[in-house]
Amino acid sequence: MKLDIPIVEKPDHVGADKVVEFDLFDFDAEDGDCQRRIADALQAAGVPDVFWTPCNTGHWVAARGEALKDVLTTPDLFSSSQFMVVKAMNPEPPLVPLMLDPPAHALYRALLAKAFVPEAVEKLGEKARTLAVELIEGFLPAGECEFIGDFATQLPVAVFMSLVDWPDEDRAHLLRIAEKVVRPATVEDAMAGRELVDAYARNVVETRRCALGDDLISDLLRARIEGAPLSDDVLNGMVKLLLTAGLDTVASSMGFYALHLARNAPLRAHLVGKPADIPRAVDELLRRYPIGVLGRIVTRDCEFHGAQLKAGDTMLAPTMSFGLDDRQFDRPTEIDLGRSRKAHLSFGAGPHRCVGALLATIELRVFLEEWLRRIPEFQLKPGEPAQALSGYVIGIPRLRLVWPVG
């Protein structure tokens, strides 16, 4: 989904040897593997570990794993106050705590973290399991489904509704929002999705303000930071973050899991016969198919991995810079359940590591366990493409799967 943004001139502090034309939005993949296309570009011969691209208003790119890790774990140098390198694409008001830096970030993150402790997440996981079984049993007799719409977006919507204790009759409306957010056909569709999320979040907050309960939004409405209640903009931003992150990331990851397993019968058979390996598979698939591309803004002039950065420069941090870096992992494009354990950065790193990482992992595990128990044999529907779209969150808009019936 390439943006119509002209190429810009190289600033004086960028050396000519550090310039590589790299357009994040130009890696759509007909075979569904944007991650590999991006990694191939980042690791091409002659590409510096950190380079500057004239695309998308001009920005730096952390092309290798060590540089990516340093970007994410050095918030005093790389601020999250602009988390998309194209400034106009950053939401207003800012999403909290995503777009805050330490120490303020920790105060607001702590309010959300209470909802994602292991005991709470396990309960949400059981609700996800119940819905997963219900959804699969619903379309199982048909022998086919459109996986993203029929399953992948449905599960995180239900989990979000449990998290905020919202009525089930809203699910249809949330799914229409998910259609815009997760599967936009155009940039205009994506912006329309944002507006729908904003309106929904504000409505949720205002409605709950009139009748506090025992849920996350009620907790946020009761919360105080340095003695003051959260502002309406902060509350709205936090609810939007929960909603979009839950919809976008989990649904997109499920799409890549389903696509990979549809094409890999030996791995599928292994997990069907040995479900105890599913948690390992979840972790390895997360490493192989990272979906997030993060942005940061440089706070001061410095030298960084051989590049001369200036305050105000922006830095792109693609998570596949680590997960698919051949310096970090042998045969990085292969799924190897016997691979020695090494932390990936698909949930980010440092103070901004995804607060919902445990919940997302459980949802992905539940999906594999319940799906493979009921549909051990499935494949892509012949003649149906599995195109993946590149961007800040990489995803597969539609994925038609078929399986034998009876």
Side-chain angles (χ1 to χ4, degrees), residues 24 34-35 38 244-257 285-294 317-320 345-347 360 364 389-396:
L24 167 66
C34 289
Q35 291 90 339
I38 293 172
T244 54
L247 289 178
D248 238 355
T249 56
V250 176
S252 296
S253 291
M254 281 185 186
F256 288 107
Y257 280 36
L285 285 162
L286 276 168
R287 178 202 62 78
R288 171 60 179 86
Y289 294 104
I291 58 171
V293 181
L294 311 171
T319 50
M320 56 287 306
L345 303 184
S346 298
F347 285 124
L364 292 166
L389 302 180
S390 59
Y392 288 110
V393 178
I394 297 169
I396 302 170

Side-chain angles (χ1 to χ4, degrees), residues 109 111-121 124 159 163 216 242 355-360:
R109 180 186 172 96
L111 300 179
L112 296 180
K114 295 175 184 177
F116 295 99
V117 295
E119 313 87 77
V121 165
L124 291 171
V159 170
L163 193 63
L216 178 54
L242 289 168
V355 71
L358 177 60
L359 177 58

Side-chain angles (χ1 to χ4, degrees), residues 20-79:
V20 177
E21 192 165 314
F22 176 92
D23 185 348
L24 167 66
F25 301 96
D26 197 25
F27 288 94
D28 294 357
E30 291 296 330
D31 66 352
D33 200 350
C34 289
Q35 291 90 339
R36 184 167 190 165
R37 288 196 66 203
I38 293 172
D40 286 347
L42 296 174
Q43 297 179 29
V47 173
D49 290 8
V50 174
F51 65 82
W52 188 88
T53 174
C55 301
N56 298 313
T57 69
H59 58 83
W60 294 97
V61 180
R64 288 288 188 163
E66 283 304 314
L68 173 78
K69 187 174 183 179
D70 288 344
V71 168
L72 299 181
T73 56
T74 318
D76 61 309
L77 177 57
F78 297 99
S79 169

